[in-house]
Amino acid sequence: MNALTVLNPQDQFKAPTPDELFNLPPIIPGVDWFTKPVLLALLSAVIVIGFFWAAFASPKIVPRGVQNAAEVGYMFVRDQVARPFLGKDADRWMGLLLSLFFLVFAWNIMGVIPFAQFPVASHIAFPAVLAISIYVLKVYLGVRHQGPIGYFKNMMFPPGLPKPIYILLSPIEFLSNLIIAPFTHAVRLFANMFAGHMLLAFFSMVGFWFLFEHLTPLGAPIGVIGVVMTIIFTAFEMFIQFLQAFLFAMLASMYIGGSLHAEH
Amino acid sequence: MSEQERRPEDDGQDFASAAWSIPSYLLAGMAIYGGGGWLLDRWLDTSAFFPIGIVLGIVLSVYLVYRKYGR
Amino acid sequence: MTTAATLLASEEGANPLIPHTYELVVGIFAFAVVFFVVGRMLVPRIQKTLAERTDAIEGGIKRAEEAQAEAQALQQQYRDQLAEARQDAARLREEAREQAAQIKAELREEAQAEARRLIEAAHAQIEADRQQAFTQLRAEIGRLSTDLAGRIVGEALEDEARRRRTVDRFLDELESSSAQAVR
């Protein structure tokens, strides 16, 4: 079963497989690394940079046009992502969090942009590399601000618990904070984008198959349902794409905040 | 920004921390105690410690989350 | 692992949880570039602008407050001046009223004194007139009485001394009786 299966003149509808959807061939034959997700990842970076360059290259006291729009984004990240977890340190980390949020958002929204139609973050490598960066930053900040011993002590021995319990709970804290958390950080984003793309692809293929490739009186209503569901799920996906970008940045902010100040 | 605004955000911070820590803690608890049980099972050639470990892990994780954020 | 992509593509169902190395590189590169340009270059600029805007707004508010305070001070000043003026006016009116009353009282007193003086003068005039009239009358009555007595008696009283004595006696009696009558 490979990418050619869909094109085979068969009378039966075939649901798209993850392999067909996510294992994309190189755009230029022979240049293995240059695939669609790589192109879109770079394109997203260019778009984000271009957008903020247009908005903030020479900002005005009285904003207009693009600056207005970008300021709304900046305010959103500052008030919803940075300040709740970083308080007065928020402004120092805004550069990181704003870049993170908008890059992930651009990567995600590529899933519903016509012709692109592939959420970059549905390839685990992209969320993983960001999550690893945040993880390294988190441990570095924790060691620097709480001391190498203090950081692990504060993490594994939260105050206010009965002493014997620590033997049972400290391993959980350790595993949760240092291994599971970065993993879920990346996987949450990846899995949402992966599943969302699968759903969208499935419904759009249903519509395409039953209305264009294999139009029959019986199949037509199913095709219409497929198209309607595609539209509904496109709207839903846009919301999920935004939400996951927000969550990814928010968790990064939470980790940074937790490393700057010991948990209470 | 100012002192009045900090309070609700602190609450939000605690809530968000709890909400996004729970799955991580549950997974960690299940992995550690489930894994320990599985190893015990293999070593002693039994099959009871794995499920016991999983349940123990969940209980401990829930207890931990409750003590950290539940008050 | 760069050949892994072609390898995986031919395989049945590549594991989506295994990251491609080149995507890791591209991902971190893309993030690094975005972070450098947006996070390091552009965010400080907008933060500076936002701070300036806050300053501008707060400065505007401060200026407005100052202007308002000034206006209020001015208003207060005017109000004070107005109150002072009113007080002055009231005081002047009061003084004027007092003066008027004083003048009136003085005039009245003067008028009364004048009236008294006139009345007294009139009294004195009347007394003088009466006295004069009485003196004239006395002489007249004496002459008339002598004439009358001479005519009645029918004889002239030769003796001047006697005649004077009689007249004087008569007049004394008359005077005492008239004094009683006047009183």
Side-chain angles (χ1 to χ4, degrees), chain C residues 29-172:
Chain C
F29 171 75
F31 179 65
V33 172
V34 169
F35 175 63
F36 180 74
V37 177
V38 175
R40 281 282 146 130
M41 289 170 67
L42 297 175
V43 163
R45 292 188 197 177
I46 188 64
Q47 282 176 339
K48 190 161 160 283
T49 304
L50 289 177
E52 278 167 9
R53 185 181 302 161
T54 309
D55 274 2
I57 291 168
E58 276 174 1
I61 290 170
K62 207 177 162 203
R63 273 196 297 282
E65 273 171 357
E66 274 169 9
Q68 200 181 7
E70 202 174 313
Q72 268 174 352
L74 209 60
Q75 198 185 12
Q76 188 61 41
Q77 197 182 329
Y78 285 152
R79 206 175 279 153
D80 287 352
Q81 281 176 352
L82 195 63
E84 206 175 317
R86 277 207 189 108
Q87 218 168 354
D88 279 0
R91 193 166 51 74
L92 285 174
R93 257 203 316 274
E94 191 59 33
E95 272 177 19
R97 195 181 291 135
E98 273 170 19
Q99 273 179 356
Q102 201 178 339
I103 288 166
K104 221 194 279 181
E106 272 171 14
L107 282 176
R108 185 184 290 142
E109 202 151 302
E110 244 169 65
Q112 279 174 347
E114 182 69 15
R116 256 198 315 276
R117 198 172 56 74
L118 282 174
I119 290 168
E120 270 168 18
H123 276 312
Q125 186 67 39
I126 289 167
E127 184 63 22
D129 286 353
R130 196 183 66 92
Q131 206 66 39
Q132 195 184 357
F134 185 67
T135 313
Q136 280 179 0
L137 202 60
R138 196 163 84 163
E140 194 73 9
I141 288 171
R143 200 174 47 85
L144 285 174
S145 308
T146 317
D147 282 357
L148 187 62
R151 275 189 207 146
I152 294 168
V153 175
E155 71 181 308
L157 296 170
E158 313 105 87
D159 193 356
E160 179 67 30
R162 256 170 77 182
R163 199 173 65 179
R164 184 157 298 272
R165 219 168 40 236
T166 312
V167 168
D168 282 346
R169 199 170 54 235
F170 173 70
L171 281 177
D172 281 344

Side-chain angles (χ1 to χ4, degrees), chain A residues 119-139:
Chain A
V120 178
S122 67
H123 270 203
I124 184 79
F126 297 103
V129 82
L130 295 187
I132 291 165
S133 310
I134 297 300
Y135 176 73
V136 170
L137 179 68
K138 167 176 109 165
V139 175

Side-chain angles (χ1 to χ4, degrees), chain A residues 227-240:
Chain A
V227 170
V228 170
M229 290 303 271
T230 305
I231 293 165
I232 293 171
F233 268 88
T234 300
F236 178 68
E237 259 326 288
M238 287 165 85
F239 169 68
I240 295 293

Side-chain angles (χ1 to χ4, degrees), chain A:
Chain A
M1 198 184 290
N2 56 38
L4 291 172
T5 321
V6 188
L7 299 173
N8 281 348
Q10 287 175 321
D11 282 357
Q12 235 177 340
F13 172 70
K14 280 235 188 312
T17 65
D19 211 36
E20 287 161 18
L21 287 177
F22 294 101
N23 234 331
L24 302 163
I27 294 170
I28 307 163
V31 189
D32 283 344
W33 63 273
F34 197 61
T35 55
K36 191 177 178 184
V38 168
L39 172 68
L40 293 180
L42 294 173
L43 190 64
S44 304
V46 170
I47 289 169
V48 170
I49 288 171
F51 174 65
F52 280 106
W53 188 270
F56 293 165
S58 56
K60 307 279 181 295
I61 299 264
V62 181
R64 60 175 52 179
V66 190
Q67 193 189 339
N68 250 328
E71 273 187 22
V72 171
Y74 180 89
M75 297 295 179
F76 170 76
V77 174
R78 189 188 66 185
D79 295 342
Q80 304 300 321
V81 175
R83 281 193 176 156
F85 300 99
L86 297 167
K88 61 184 184 336
D89 297 324
D91 277 358
R92 270 185 56 216
W93 298 100
M94 268 311 290
L96 179 73
L97 294 172
L98 191 76
S99 311
L100 198 60
F101 172 75
F102 275 94
L103 185 62
V104 173
F105 185 51
W107 281 357
N108 291 352
I109 208 77
M110 282 296 166
V112 295
I113 302 284
F115 303 112
Q117 279 165 328
F118 187 86
V120 178
S122 67
H123 270 203
I124 184 79
F126 297 103
V129 82
L130 295 187
I132 291 165
S133 310
I134 297 300
Y135 176 73
V136 170
L137 179 68
K138 167 176 109 165
V139 175
Y140 167 75
L141 285 174
V143 170
R144 214 183 101 189
H145 284 266
Q146 301 174 33
I149 299 162
Y151 177 53
F152 289 101
K153 186 173 156 293
N154 288 337
M155 183 203 297
M156 291 169 64
F157 301 95
L161 293 180
K163 283 238 160 58
I165 291 287
Y166 281 124
I167 301 165
L168 292 172
L169 294 186
S170 294
I172 298 181
E173 285 277 10
F174 181 84
L175 193 69
S176 169
N177 280 314
L178 289 180
I179 293 159
I180 308 268
F183 186 72
T184 52
H185 192 196
V187 167
R188 183 180 288 114
L189 174 60
F190 153 73
N192 272 284
M193 291 306 105
F194 188 89
H197 188 55
M198 289 270 288
L199 271 173
L200 273 185
F202 175 76
F203 284 119
S204 57
M205 274 188 165
V206 166
F208 191 70
W209 173 266
F210 285 102
L211 287 181
F212 293 96
E213 286 198 356
H214 201 80
L215 187 59
T216 57
L218 261 173
I222 303 175
V224 171
I225 290 173
V227 170
V228 170
M229 290 303 271
T230 305
I231 293 165
I232 293 171
F233 268 88
T234 300
F236 178 68
E237 259 326 288
M238 287 165 85
F239 169 68
I240 295 293
Q241 284 157 354
F242 168 79
L243 188 73
Q244 288 303 321
F246 166 64
L247 275 180
F248 196 86
M250 195 202 83
L251 286 169
S253 172
M254 198 175 107
Y255 295 150
I256 293 169
S259 288
L260 293 180
H261 315 285
E263 285 188 48
H264 41 84

